Amino acid sequence: NMTDPLPWQVVSGREGLQAALASADGPAIIYLTADWCLTCRTIERRVLPDADVVAALEPMHRIKLDLTDFDTEDQALLAILGAAGPPTMIFLDADRREQPETRLVGDTRRGPLLRAARLVAP
């Protein structure tokens, strides 16, 4: 079982996410994940440990939004983010704006992730 070589800040709920974004400088990635999300495990095993992906994500504030418990607050948070559920990756620039055409939903591959990361953290 490969572990992700990059540390991520794991948060849950709206307040956790807001606090993480408030404490972070520069571009950020919000990765929506859950223990029951099988596709997430594949991404964490096959994509995130890739050396180029590690290099692209390193300058970003990396936030994992844990939706494992998936309660009504999580449902409301998904609505705010405009996300259907995990796995979803949301890329924010240094001004906390999501860059167009960067959101990744579902079974994410190395290429699209690298492209999105380089758009917000060139």
Side-chain angles (χ1 to χ4, degrees):
N1 195 9
M2 276 190 89
T3 51
D4 188 352
L6 283 178
W8 290 70
Q9 182 177 0
V10 180
V11 300
S12 58
R14 187 170 165 184
E15 282 178 19
L17 180 60
Q18 284 174 333
L21 288 172
S23 72
D25 287 328
I29 175 174
I30 306 168
Y31 173 35
L32 281 57
T33 182
D35 287 351
W36 40 262
C37 169
L38 296 175
T39 311
C40 299
R41 279 186 223 161
T42 304
I43 291 169
E44 280 157 36
R45 203 168 52 241
R46 293 193 190 151
V47 183
L48 293 183
D50 178 90
D52 291 335
V53 170
V54 168
L57 293 182
E58 217 224 335
M60 305 175 71
H61 190 74
R62 297 168 301 278
I63 301 165
K64 269 185 188 171
L65 179 60
D66 185 355
L67 298 165
T68 299
D69 296 335
F70 206 71
D71 53 18
T72 50
E73 189 192 0
D74 287 338
Q75 277 185 305
L77 187 50
L78 285 183
I80 292 166
L81 294 171
T88 301
M89 292 184 183
I90 300 171
F91 294 83
L92 305 175
D93 66 17
D95 298 321
R96 292 289 168 269
R97 281 192 297 258
E98 181 175 3
Q99 290 303 292
E101 310 291 311
T102 56
R103 185 174 294 211
L104 302 175
V105 180
D107 189 6
T108 296
R109 299 270 183 255
R110 178 179 171 275
L113 202 162
L114 289 174
R115 192 186 68 83
R118 286 169 184 156
L119 279 171
V120 297

